[in-house]
Tab-separated table of all heavy atoms in Angstrom:
chain	number	residue	atom	x	y	z
H	1	MET	N	0.128	8.482	-25.559
H	1	MET	CA	-0.350	8.649	-24.180
H	1	MET	C	-1.871	8.825	-24.172
H	1	MET	O	-2.388	9.734	-24.804
H	1	MET	CB	0.296	9.892	-23.546
H	1	MET	CG	1.798	9.760	-23.343
H	1	MET	SD	2.222	8.447	-22.212
H	1	MET	CE	3.995	8.655	-22.136
H	2	ASP	N	-2.559	7.990	-23.517
H	2	ASP	CA	-3.989	8.239	-23.370
H	2	ASP	C	-4.256	8.732	-21.953
H	2	ASP	O	-4.149	8.002	-20.989
H	2	ASP	CB	-4.823	6.998	-23.701
H	2	ASP	CG	-4.417	5.795	-22.865
H	2	ASP	OD1	-3.511	5.089	-23.295
H	2	ASP	OD2	-5.003	5.603	-21.791
H	3	GLU	N	-4.548	10.008	-21.893
H	3	GLU	CA	-4.750	10.628	-20.590
H	3	GLU	C	-6.233	10.738	-20.300
H	3	GLU	O	-6.972	11.278	-21.103
H	3	GLU	CB	-4.097	12.009	-20.591
H	3	GLU	CG	-3.914	12.568	-19.193
H	3	GLU	CD	-3.174	13.896	-19.244
H	3	GLU	OE1	-2.299	14.051	-20.111
H	3	GLU	OE2	-3.494	14.769	-18.436
H	4	GLN	N	-6.618	10.227	-19.153
H	4	GLN	CA	-8.031	10.288	-18.807
H	4	GLN	C	-8.402	11.688	-18.344
H	4	GLN	O	-7.598	12.401	-17.775
H	4	GLN	CB	-8.349	9.289	-17.691
H	4	GLN	CG	-8.289	7.844	-18.181
H	4	GLN	CD	-8.694	6.885	-17.060
H	4	GLN	OE1	-8.771	7.281	-15.919
H	4	GLN	NE2	-8.919	5.648	-17.417
H	5	THR	N	-9.605	12.057	-18.617
H	5	THR	CA	-10.087	13.353	-18.160
H	5	THR	C	-10.211	13.355	-16.647
H	5	THR	O	-10.818	12.473	-16.069
H	5	THR	CB	-11.465	13.668	-18.771
H	5	THR	OG1	-11.396	13.462	-20.175
H	5	THR	CG2	-11.861	15.109	-18.492
H	6	HIS	N	-9.581	14.335	-16.052
H	6	HIS	CA	-9.584	14.395	-14.592
H	6	HIS	C	-10.705	15.296	-14.111
H	6	HIS	O	-10.707	16.491	-14.354
H	6	HIS	CB	-8.237	14.922	-14.102
H	6	HIS	CG	-8.140	14.945	-12.608
H	6	HIS	ND1	-7.584	15.986	-11.907
H	6	HIS	CD2	-8.541	14.051	-11.694
H	6	HIS	CE1	-7.649	15.735	-10.616
H	6	HIS	NE2	-8.228	14.569	-10.455
H	7	ARG	N	-11.668	14.659	-13.427
H	7	ARG	CA	-12.786	15.428	-12.903
H	7	ARG	C	-12.798	15.373	-11.381
H	7	ARG	O	-12.974	14.301	-10.811
H	7	ARG	CB	-14.107	14.878	-13.432
H	7	ARG	CG	-14.364	15.305	-14.872
H	7	ARG	CD	-15.646	14.706	-15.362
H	7	ARG	NE	-15.567	13.235	-15.395
H	7	ARG	CZ	-16.551	12.456	-15.782
H	7	ARG	NH1	-17.679	12.976	-16.150
H	7	ARG	NH2	-16.407	11.155	-15.799
H	8	PRO	N	-12.596	16.483	-10.721
H	8	PRO	CA	-12.656	16.513	-9.260
H	8	PRO	C	-14.069	16.218	-8.778
H	8	PRO	O	-15.041	16.534	-9.447
H	8	PRO	CB	-12.264	17.961	-8.895
H	8	PRO	CG	-11.707	18.548	-10.143
H	8	PRO	CD	-12.295	17.787	-11.288
H	9	GLY	N	-14.176	15.620	-7.593
H	9	GLY	CA	-15.480	15.301	-7.046
H	9	GLY	C	-16.208	16.546	-6.595
H	9	GLY	O	-15.662	17.648	-6.644
H	10	PRO	N	-17.451	16.393	-6.166
H	10	PRO	CA	-18.260	17.532	-5.718
H	10	PRO	C	-17.642	18.272	-4.537
H	10	PRO	O	-17.844	19.461	-4.372
H	10	PRO	CB	-19.600	16.897	-5.335
H	10	PRO	CG	-19.343	15.421	-5.219
H	10	PRO	CD	-18.166	15.128	-6.102
H	11	ASP	N	-16.854	17.564	-3.733
H	11	ASP	CA	-16.217	18.193	-2.581
H	11	ASP	C	-14.832	18.726	-2.928
H	11	ASP	O	-14.098	19.161	-2.065
H	11	ASP	CB	-16.084	17.188	-1.424
H	11	ASP	CG	-17.455	16.670	-1.004
H	11	ASP	OD1	-18.420	17.436	-1.101
H	11	ASP	OD2	-17.541	15.511	-0.602
H	12	GLY	N	-14.472	18.644	-4.183
H	12	GLY	CA	-13.150	19.076	-4.575
H	12	GLY	C	-12.107	18.030	-4.295
H	12	GLY	O	-10.912	18.294	-4.380
H	13	THR	N	-12.537	16.831	-3.953
H	13	THR	CA	-11.576	15.773	-3.653
H	13	THR	C	-11.068	15.142	-4.939
H	13	THR	O	-11.786	15.058	-5.926
H	13	THR	CB	-12.223	14.688	-2.782
H	13	THR	OG1	-13.480	14.355	-3.318
H	13	THR	CG2	-12.399	15.184	-1.360
H	14	ASP	N	-9.843	14.729	-4.873
H	14	ASP	CA	-9.235	14.104	-6.038
H	14	ASP	C	-9.564	12.628	-6.089
H	14	ASP	O	-9.939	12.037	-5.083
H	14	ASP	CB	-7.720	14.253	-5.979
H	14	ASP	CG	-7.265	15.493	-6.723
H	14	ASP	OD1	-8.041	16.001	-7.544
H	14	ASP	OD2	-6.152	15.934	-6.464
H	15	ASP	N	-9.393	12.062	-7.247
H	15	ASP	CA	-9.489	10.611	-7.319
H	15	ASP	C	-8.185	10.024	-6.800
H	15	ASP	O	-7.161	10.688	-6.735
H	15	ASP	CB	-9.795	10.143	-8.744
H	15	ASP	CG	-8.810	10.701	-9.745
H	15	ASP	OD1	-8.027	11.590	-9.368
H	15	ASP	OD2	-8.814	10.242	-10.887
H	16	VAL	N	-8.234	8.787	-6.411
H	16	VAL	CA	-7.084	8.140	-5.799
H	16	VAL	C	-6.069	7.769	-6.877
H	16	VAL	O	-6.435	7.226	-7.919
H	16	VAL	CB	-7.522	6.882	-5.046
H	16	VAL	CG1	-6.323	6.149	-4.484
H	16	VAL	CG2	-8.488	7.261	-3.928
H	17	ALA	N	-4.814	8.094	-6.624
H	17	ALA	CA	-3.762	7.743	-7.564
H	17	ALA	C	-2.704	6.900	-6.868
H	17	ALA	O	-2.408	7.108	-5.688
H	17	ALA	CB	-3.132	9.001	-8.142
H	18	CYS	N	-2.149	5.965	-7.588
H	18	CYS	CA	-1.104	5.121	-7.036
H	18	CYS	C	0.126	5.971	-6.719
H	18	CYS	O	0.538	6.798	-7.520
H	18	CYS	CB	-0.752	4.020	-8.031
H	18	CYS	SG	0.649	3.018	-7.512
H	19	ALA	N	0.691	5.763	-5.522
H	19	ALA	CA	1.827	6.568	-5.084
H	19	ALA	C	3.098	6.208	-5.845
H	19	ALA	O	4.062	6.960	-5.831
H	19	ALA	CB	2.048	6.385	-3.588
H	20	LEU	N	3.094	5.068	-6.493
H	20	LEU	CA	4.302	4.615	-7.169
H	20	LEU	C	4.260	4.875	-8.666
H	20	LEU	O	5.161	5.472	-9.229
H	20	LEU	CB	4.516	3.128	-6.897
H	20	LEU	CG	4.964	2.796	-5.470
H	20	LEU	CD1	4.997	1.298	-5.276
H	20	LEU	CD2	6.326	3.398	-5.187
H	21	CYS	N	3.212	4.411	-9.327
H	21	CYS	CA	3.183	4.530	-10.785
H	21	CYS	C	2.227	5.614	-11.254
H	21	CYS	O	2.237	5.980	-12.423
H	21	CYS	CB	2.819	3.186	-11.422
H	21	CYS	SG	1.131	2.668	-11.124
H	22	GLY	N	1.403	6.146	-10.334
H	22	GLY	CA	0.544	7.263	-10.698
H	22	GLY	C	-0.757	6.860	-11.372
H	22	GLY	O	-1.505	7.718	-11.832
H	23	THR	N	-1.032	5.564	-11.423
H	23	THR	CA	-2.286	5.107	-12.015
H	23	THR	C	-3.465	5.623	-11.209
H	23	THR	O	-3.458	5.567	-9.985
H	23	THR	CB	-2.321	3.566	-12.037
H	23	THR	OG1	-1.294	3.093	-12.882
H	23	THR	CG2	-3.671	3.054	-12.540
H	24	ARG	N	-4.456	6.134	-11.903
H	24	ARG	CA	-5.622	6.664	-11.199
H	24	ARG	C	-6.722	5.630	-11.114
H	24	ARG	O	-6.953	4.876	-12.059
H	24	ARG	CB	-6.150	7.904	-11.928
H	24	ARG	CG	-5.183	9.059	-11.878
H	24	ARG	CD	-5.808	10.296	-12.487
H	24	ARG	NE	-4.866	11.412	-12.512
H	24	ARG	CZ	-4.655	12.188	-11.458
H	24	ARG	NH1	-5.296	11.964	-10.338
H	24	ARG	NH2	-3.799	13.181	-11.537
H	25	SER	N	-7.391	5.627	-9.970
H	25	SER	CA	-8.465	4.653	-9.778
H	25	SER	C	-9.736	5.109	-10.464
H	25	SER	O	-10.597	4.307	-10.795
H	25	SER	CB	-8.731	4.464	-8.288
H	25	SER	OG	-9.306	5.648	-7.754
H	26	GLY	N	-9.870	6.398	-10.691
H	26	GLY	CA	-11.065	6.919	-11.330
H	26	GLY	C	-12.178	7.214	-10.347
H	26	GLY	O	-13.252	7.618	-10.728
H	27	SER	N	-11.898	7.011	-9.047
H	27	SER	CA	-12.900	7.332	-8.034
H	27	SER	C	-12.198	7.836	-6.788
H	27	SER	O	-10.979	7.737	-6.668
H	27	SER	CB	-13.748	6.103	-7.711
H	27	SER	OG	-12.950	5.127	-7.090
H	28	GLU	N	-12.958	8.383	-5.847
H	28	GLU	CA	-12.363	8.953	-4.643
H	28	GLU	C	-11.869	7.879	-3.690
H	28	GLU	O	-11.041	8.133	-2.820
H	28	GLU	CB	-13.387	9.823	-3.923
H	28	GLU	CG	-13.741	11.070	-4.715
H	28	GLU	CD	-14.880	11.830	-4.050
H	28	GLU	OE1	-15.033	11.708	-2.836
H	28	GLU	OE2	-15.609	12.515	-4.771
H	29	THR	N	-12.406	6.681	-3.835
H	29	THR	CA	-11.978	5.590	-2.969
H	29	THR	C	-11.188	4.584	-3.784
H	29	THR	O	-11.501	4.327	-4.947
H	29	THR	CB	-13.185	4.895	-2.325
H	29	THR	OG1	-14.091	4.520	-3.355
H	29	THR	CG2	-13.876	5.823	-1.350
H	30	ALA	N	-10.176	4.030	-3.162
H	30	ALA	CA	-9.346	3.052	-3.856
H	30	ALA	C	-10.107	1.742	-4.017
H	30	ALA	O	-10.883	1.363	-3.148
H	30	ALA	CB	-8.073	2.814	-3.072
H	31	PRO	N	-9.915	1.076	-5.122
H	31	PRO	CA	-10.524	-0.242	-5.314
H	31	PRO	C	-10.068	-1.204	-4.225
H	31	PRO	O	-8.988	-1.021	-3.660
H	31	PRO	CB	-9.990	-0.683	-6.678
H	31	PRO	CG	-9.550	0.570	-7.356
H	31	PRO	CD	-9.113	1.500	-6.260
H	32	PRO	N	-10.862	-2.216	-3.917
H	32	PRO	CA	-10.522	-3.169	-2.849
H	32	PRO	C	-9.202	-3.888	-3.090
H	32	PRO	O	-8.576	-4.365	-2.135
H	32	PRO	CB	-11.690	-4.159	-2.853
H	32	PRO	CG	-12.426	-3.926	-4.124
H	32	PRO	CD	-12.154	-2.507	-4.524
H	33	THR	N	-8.764	-3.924	-4.332
H	33	THR	CA	-7.513	-4.617	-4.630
H	33	THR	C	-6.307	-3.731	-4.346
H	33	THR	O	-5.186	-4.204	-4.319
H	33	THR	CB	-7.488	-5.047	-6.104
H	33	THR	OG1	-7.848	-3.946	-6.923
H	33	THR	CG2	-8.458	-6.190	-6.347
H	34	TRP	N	-6.564	-2.449	-4.142
H	34	TRP	CA	-5.461	-1.533	-3.877
H	34	TRP	C	-5.051	-1.605	-2.422
H	34	TRP	O	-5.839	-1.943	-1.547
H	34	TRP	CB	-5.861	-0.106	-4.230
H	34	TRP	CG	-5.867	0.170	-5.706
H	34	TRP	CD1	-6.235	-0.697	-6.697
H	34	TRP	CD2	-5.509	1.390	-6.346
H	34	TRP	NE1	-6.122	-0.091	-7.910
H	34	TRP	CE2	-5.686	1.197	-7.741
H	34	TRP	CE3	-5.063	2.632	-5.885
H	34	TRP	CZ2	-5.412	2.208	-8.660
H	34	TRP	CZ3	-4.806	3.623	-6.807
H	34	TRP	CH2	-4.977	3.414	-8.180
H	35	LEU	N	-3.797	-1.216	-2.179
H	35	LEU	CA	-3.271	-1.241	-0.825
H	35	LEU	C	-3.238	0.190	-0.295
H	35	LEU	O	-2.843	1.103	-0.995
H	35	LEU	CB	-1.858	-1.826	-0.850
H	35	LEU	CG	-1.318	-2.351	0.470
H	35	LEU	CD1	-2.038	-3.631	0.860
H	35	LEU	CD2	0.168	-2.611	0.340
H	36	CYS	N	-3.660	0.344	0.951
H	36	CYS	CA	-3.633	1.664	1.582
H	36	CYS	C	-2.605	1.658	2.694
H	36	CYS	O	-2.618	0.791	3.554
H	36	CYS	CB	-4.998	2.034	2.132
H	36	CYS	SG	-4.977	3.612	3.002
H	37	SER	N	-1.690	2.600	2.663
H	37	SER	CA	-0.665	2.696	3.692
H	37	SER	C	-0.617	4.114	4.233
H	37	SER	O	-0.669	5.078	3.472
H	37	SER	CB	0.684	2.292	3.086
H	37	SER	OG	1.714	2.556	4.021
H	38	VAL	N	-0.541	4.236	5.545
H	38	VAL	CA	-0.448	5.569	6.142
H	38	VAL	C	1.008	5.878	6.425
H	38	VAL	O	1.660	5.191	7.205
H	38	VAL	CB	-1.270	5.646	7.440
H	38	VAL	CG1	-1.135	7.050	8.044
H	38	VAL	CG2	-2.730	5.323	7.167
H	39	GLU	N	1.520	6.900	5.762
H	39	GLU	CA	2.921	7.276	5.947
H	39	GLU	C	2.999	8.750	6.293
H	39	GLU	O	2.474	9.592	5.584
H	39	GLU	CB	3.705	6.988	4.660
H	39	GLU	CG	3.763	5.496	4.369
H	39	GLU	CD	4.382	5.245	2.999
H	39	GLU	OE1	5.042	6.145	2.476
H	39	GLU	OE2	4.179	4.151	2.473
H	40	ASN	N	3.654	9.048	7.411
H	40	ASN	CA	3.806	10.434	7.853
H	40	ASN	C	2.463	11.132	7.991
H	40	ASN	O	2.313	12.302	7.682
H	40	ASN	CB	4.710	11.207	6.873
H	40	ASN	CG	6.096	10.593	6.787
H	40	ASN	OD1	6.639	10.142	7.788
H	40	ASN	ND2	6.656	10.556	5.609
H	41	GLY	N	1.465	10.379	8.413
H	41	GLY	CA	0.157	10.972	8.671
H	41	GLY	C	-0.703	11.156	7.442
H	41	GLY	O	-1.823	11.626	7.545
H	42	SER	N	-0.188	10.800	6.284
H	42	SER	CA	-1.007	10.944	5.087
H	42	SER	C	-1.182	9.584	4.410
H	42	SER	O	-0.287	8.736	4.463
H	42	SER	CB	-0.353	11.931	4.113
H	42	SER	OG	0.896	11.449	3.707
H	43	ARG	N	-2.320	9.395	3.813
H	43	ARG	CA	-2.617	8.120	3.189
H	43	ARG	C	-1.962	8.002	1.825
H	43	ARG	O	-1.947	8.951	1.054
H	43	ARG	CB	-4.126	7.965	3.018
H	43	ARG	CG	-4.810	7.568	4.300
H	43	ARG	CD	-6.253	7.266	4.020
H	43	ARG	NE	-6.939	6.832	5.244
H	43	ARG	CZ	-8.153	6.315	5.244
H	43	ARG	NH1	-8.809	6.198	4.113
H	43	ARG	NH2	-8.711	5.937	6.356
H	44	ARG	N	-1.435	6.833	1.582
H	44	ARG	CA	-0.884	6.555	0.268
H	44	ARG	C	-1.521	5.290	-0.254
H	44	ARG	O	-1.745	4.351	0.486
H	44	ARG	CB	0.639	6.369	0.339
H	44	ARG	CG	1.369	7.686	0.451
H	44	ARG	CD	2.799	7.454	0.829
H	44	ARG	NE	3.538	8.713	0.888
H	44	ARG	CZ	4.291	9.155	-0.114
H	44	ARG	NH1	4.423	8.448	-1.196
H	44	ARG	NH2	4.930	10.296	-0.010
H	45	TYR	N	-1.788	5.298	-1.534
H	45	TYR	CA	-2.424	4.135	-2.136
H	45	TYR	C	-1.504	3.516	-3.175
H	45	TYR	O	-0.759	4.209	-3.861
H	45	TYR	CB	-3.737	4.541	-2.804
H	45	TYR	CG	-4.766	4.996	-1.804
H	45	TYR	CD1	-4.909	6.346	-1.505
H	45	TYR	CD2	-5.584	4.074	-1.164
H	45	TYR	CE1	-5.849	6.770	-0.587
H	45	TYR	CE2	-6.530	4.493	-0.241
H	45	TYR	CZ	-6.655	5.854	0.041
H	45	TYR	OH	-7.579	6.256	0.950
H	46	TYR	N	-1.568	2.206	-3.235
H	46	TYR	CA	-0.770	1.498	-4.227
H	46	TYR	C	-1.692	0.589	-5.022
H	46	TYR	O	-2.478	-0.162	-4.446
H	46	TYR	CB	0.314	0.666	-3.540
H	46	TYR	CG	1.236	1.507	-2.674
H	46	TYR	CD1	1.012	1.644	-1.327
H	46	TYR	CD2	2.318	2.168	-3.244
H	46	TYR	CE1	1.838	2.420	-0.529
H	46	TYR	CE2	3.154	2.942	-2.462
H	46	TYR	CZ	2.912	3.059	-1.116
H	46	TYR	OH	3.733	3.837	-0.337
H	47	CYS	N	-1.594	0.666	-6.325
H	47	CYS	CA	-2.448	-0.158	-7.170
H	47	CYS	C	-2.080	-1.633	-6.978
H	47	CYS	O	-1.022	-1.961	-6.437
H	47	CYS	CB	-2.301	0.256	-8.631
H	47	CYS	SG	-0.715	-0.165	-9.365
H	48	ASP	N	-2.963	-2.501	-7.425
H	48	ASP	CA	-2.754	-3.930	-7.171
H	48	ASP	C	-1.437	-4.417	-7.753
H	48	ASP	O	-0.767	-5.269	-7.179
H	48	ASP	CB	-3.926	-4.746	-7.721
H	48	ASP	CG	-4.261	-4.366	-9.143
H	48	ASP	OD1	-3.609	-3.445	-9.678
H	48	ASP	OD2	-5.163	-4.980	-9.718
H	49	GLU	N	-1.052	-3.833	-8.866
H	49	GLU	CA	0.198	-4.259	-9.493
H	49	GLU	C	1.406	-3.867	-8.652
H	49	GLU	O	2.284	-4.679	-8.361
H	49	GLU	CB	0.312	-3.619	-10.880
H	49	GLU	CG	1.040	-4.491	-11.873
H	49	GLU	CD	0.930	-3.929	-13.279
H	49	GLU	OE1	-0.207	-3.765	-13.759
H	49	GLU	OE2	1.979	-3.633	-13.856
H	50	CYS	N	1.445	-2.603	-8.214
H	50	CYS	CA	2.551	-2.133	-7.392
H	50	CYS	C	2.519	-2.807	-6.024
H	50	CYS	O	3.556	-3.085	-5.437
H	50	CYS	CB	2.475	-0.619	-7.228
H	50	CYS	SG	2.881	0.272	-8.729
H	51	ALA	N	1.330	-3.062	-5.507
H	51	ALA	CA	1.206	-3.717	-4.208
H	51	ALA	C	1.855	-5.090	-4.256
H	51	ALA	O	2.548	-5.495	-3.327
H	51	ALA	CB	-0.263	-3.832	-3.820
H	52	ARG	N	1.607	-5.788	-5.363
H	52	ARG	CA	2.211	-7.117	-5.507
H	52	ARG	C	3.719	-7.018	-5.601
H	52	ARG	O	4.459	-7.810	-5.020
H	52	ARG	CB	1.657	-7.804	-6.763
H	52	ARG	CG	0.573	-8.806	-6.472
H	52	ARG	CD	0.403	-9.762	-7.620
H	52	ARG	NE	0.055	-9.083	-8.864
H	52	ARG	CZ	-1.185	-8.799	-9.241
H	52	ARG	NH1	-2.187	-9.125	-8.466
H	52	ARG	NH2	-1.435	-8.192	-10.366
H	53	THR	N	4.188	-6.014	-6.335
H	53	THR	CA	5.618	-5.875	-6.562
H	53	THR	C	6.348	-5.414	-5.301
H	53	THR	O	7.447	-5.864	-5.012
H	53	THR	CB	5.874	-4.860	-7.688
H	53	THR	OG1	5.071	-5.216	-8.803
H	53	THR	CG2	7.336	-4.847	-8.095
H	54	HIS	N	5.709	-4.534	-4.560
H	54	HIS	CA	6.407	-3.903	-3.440
H	54	HIS	C	5.807	-4.262	-2.094
H	54	HIS	O	6.011	-3.548	-1.124
H	54	HIS	CB	6.376	-2.382	-3.616
H	54	HIS	CG	6.983	-1.921	-4.914
H	54	HIS	ND1	8.343	-1.823	-5.104
H	54	HIS	CD2	6.420	-1.558	-6.085
H	54	HIS	CE1	8.569	-1.407	-6.336
H	54	HIS	NE2	7.429	-1.239	-6.957
H	55	ILE	N	5.070	-5.348	-2.049
H	55	ILE	CA	4.342	-5.700	-0.826
H	55	ILE	C	5.265	-5.778	0.384
H	55	ILE	O	4.945	-5.289	1.461
H	55	ILE	CB	3.563	-7.030	-1.024
H	55	ILE	CG1	2.699	-7.322	0.190
H	55	ILE	CG2	4.496	-8.189	-1.323
H	55	ILE	CD1	1.467	-6.466	0.300
H	56	ARG	N	6.435	-6.339	0.207
H	56	ARG	CA	7.341	-6.496	1.357
H	56	ARG	C	7.857	-5.154	1.853
H	56	ARG	O	7.894	-4.884	3.037
H	56	ARG	CB	8.522	-7.384	0.967
H	56	ARG	CG	8.116	-8.851	0.943
H	56	ARG	CD	9.263	-9.709	0.446
H	56	ARG	NE	8.804	-11.042	0.068
H	56	ARG	CZ	9.526	-11.899	-0.624
H	56	ARG	NH1	10.739	-11.568	-1.021
H	56	ARG	NH2	9.047	-13.075	-0.928
H	57	ALA	N	8.274	-4.310	0.906
H	57	ALA	CA	8.789	-3.000	1.282
H	57	ALA	C	7.703	-2.173	1.944
H	57	ALA	O	7.940	-1.484	2.938
H	57	ALA	CB	9.318	-2.277	0.049
H	58	ILE	N	6.508	-2.253	1.398
H	58	ILE	CA	5.398	-1.475	1.936
H	58	ILE	C	5.048	-1.967	3.331
H	58	ILE	O	4.880	-1.187	4.259
H	58	ILE	CB	4.170	-1.578	1.007
H	58	ILE	CG1	4.463	-0.872	-0.325
H	58	ILE	CG2	2.947	-0.948	1.673
H	58	ILE	CD1	3.433	-1.159	-1.398
H	59	GLU	N	4.958	-3.252	3.489
H	59	GLU	CA	4.616	-3.797	4.803
H	59	GLU	C	5.717	-3.495	5.806
H	59	GLU	O	5.464	-3.227	6.964
H	59	GLU	CB	4.392	-5.308	4.696
H	59	GLU	CG	3.037	-5.626	4.113
H	59	GLU	CD	2.750	-7.118	4.167
H	59	GLU	OE1	3.718	-7.890	4.299
H	59	GLU	OE2	1.578	-7.492	4.081
H	60	GLY	N	6.966	-3.548	5.369
H	60	GLY	CA	8.073	-3.237	6.255
H	60	GLY	C	8.003	-1.810	6.739
H	60	GLY	O	8.189	-1.532	7.919
H	61	ARG	N	7.695	-0.896	5.843
H	61	ARG	CA	7.589	0.500	6.216
H	61	ARG	C	6.399	0.721	7.145
H	61	ARG	O	6.458	1.492	8.081
H	61	ARG	CB	7.443	1.384	4.960
H	61	ARG	CG	8.717	2.097	4.612
H	61	ARG	CD	8.497	3.074	3.484
H	61	ARG	NE	8.230	2.381	2.228
H	61	ARG	CZ	7.741	2.977	1.148
H	61	ARG	NH1	7.430	4.238	1.192
H	61	ARG	NH2	7.545	2.310	0.047
H	62	LEU	N	5.324	0.017	6.840
H	62	LEU	CA	4.122	0.164	7.662
H	62	LEU	C	4.414	-0.298	9.083
H	62	LEU	O	4.061	0.368	10.038
H	62	LEU	CB	2.984	-0.690	7.063
H	62	LEU	CG	1.609	-0.457	7.686
H	62	LEU	CD1	1.125	0.953	7.361
H	62	LEU	CD2	0.617	-1.471	7.147
H	63	ASP	N	5.110	-1.418	9.201
H	63	ASP	CA	5.436	-1.930	10.523
H	63	ASP	C	6.282	-0.929	11.306
H	63	ASP	O	5.987	-0.611	12.441
H	63	ASP	CB	6.218	-3.243	10.398
H	63	ASP	CG	5.289	-4.387	10.031
H	63	ASP	OD1	4.070	-4.187	10.140
H	63	ASP	OD2	5.775	-5.449	9.639
H	64	SER	N	7.323	-0.417	10.669
H	64	SER	CA	8.219	0.493	11.367
H	64	SER	C	7.490	1.782	11.730
H	64	SER	O	7.797	2.412	12.733
H	64	SER	CB	9.447	0.813	10.503
H	64	SER	OG	9.047	1.446	9.305
H	65	ALA	N	6.516	2.168	10.914
H	65	ALA	CA	5.777	3.390	11.206
H	65	ALA	C	4.877	3.211	12.413
H	65	ALA	O	4.658	4.124	13.192
H	65	ALA	CB	4.948	3.798	9.997
H	66	TRP	N	4.349	2.005	12.538
H	66	TRP	CA	3.415	1.747	13.637
H	66	TRP	C	4.154	1.528	14.954
H	66	TRP	O	3.595	1.767	16.017
H	66	TRP	CB	2.548	0.526	13.332
H	66	TRP	CG	1.425	0.874	12.416
H	66	TRP	CD1	1.299	0.555	11.091
H	66	TRP	CD2	0.236	1.622	12.747
H	66	TRP	NE1	0.128	1.042	10.599
H	66	TRP	CE2	-0.538	1.705	11.577
H	66	TRP	CE3	-0.224	2.213	13.936
H	66	TRP	CZ2	-1.757	2.366	11.561
H	66	TRP	CZ3	-1.437	2.882	13.902
H	66	TRP	CH2	-2.201	2.949	12.736
H	67	TRP	N	5.361	1.069	14.936
H	67	TRP	CA	6.079	0.796	16.171
H	67	TRP	C	6.644	2.047	16.815
H	67	TRP	O	7.120	2.903	16.189
H	67	TRP	CB	7.207	-0.199	15.927
H	67	TRP	CG	6.663	-1.555	15.809
H	67	TRP	CD1	6.498	-2.300	14.676
H	67	TRP	CD2	6.171	-2.386	16.892
H	67	TRP	NE1	5.937	-3.499	14.989
H	67	TRP	CE2	5.725	-3.603	16.315
H	67	TRP	CE3	6.077	-2.188	18.272
H	67	TRP	CZ2	5.175	-4.612	17.093
H	67	TRP	CZ3	5.536	-3.202	19.051
H	67	TRP	CH2	5.092	-4.395	18.453
E	101	LIG	ZN1	0.934	1.463	-9.166
């Protein structure tokens, strides 16, 4: 296991982690390739790999949440 050193930002904010596989982006903002979904009022991020795999499920949930 190679675990990256987790350093909180100056504001105490965490780096963005994928909601599915837990991959960390290494920064407070998700990379442009990541997918951002708002579920139950909180933001969830999905890495590009999970986004590709679960794009339909994620979009389906997003639609139902918005309606
Ligand atoms: Zn992921």
Side-chain angles (χ1 to χ4, degrees):
M1 293 297 184
D2 56 272
E3 196 176 325
Q4 289 183 347
T5 310
H6 183 222
R7 283 178 296 180
D11 300 328
T13 46
D14 267 341
D15 54 350
V16 176
C18 174
L20 288 174
C21 69
T23 296
R24 294 186 183 278
S25 69
S27 66
E28 292 173 26
T29 53
T33 49
W34 284 36
L35 199 71
C36 177
S37 172
V38 179
E39 294 173 18
N40 300 322
S42 62
R43 281 187 178 191
R44 282 167 178 262
Y45 294 94
Y46 302 95
C47 70
D48 49 358
E49 212 171 302
C50 289
R52 260 199 301 272
T53 309
H54 303 281
I55 186 74
R56 283 175 196 167
I58 292 168
E59 282 187 340
R61 256 187 291 166
L62 190 67
D63 284 346
S64 61
W66 280 106
W67 283 105

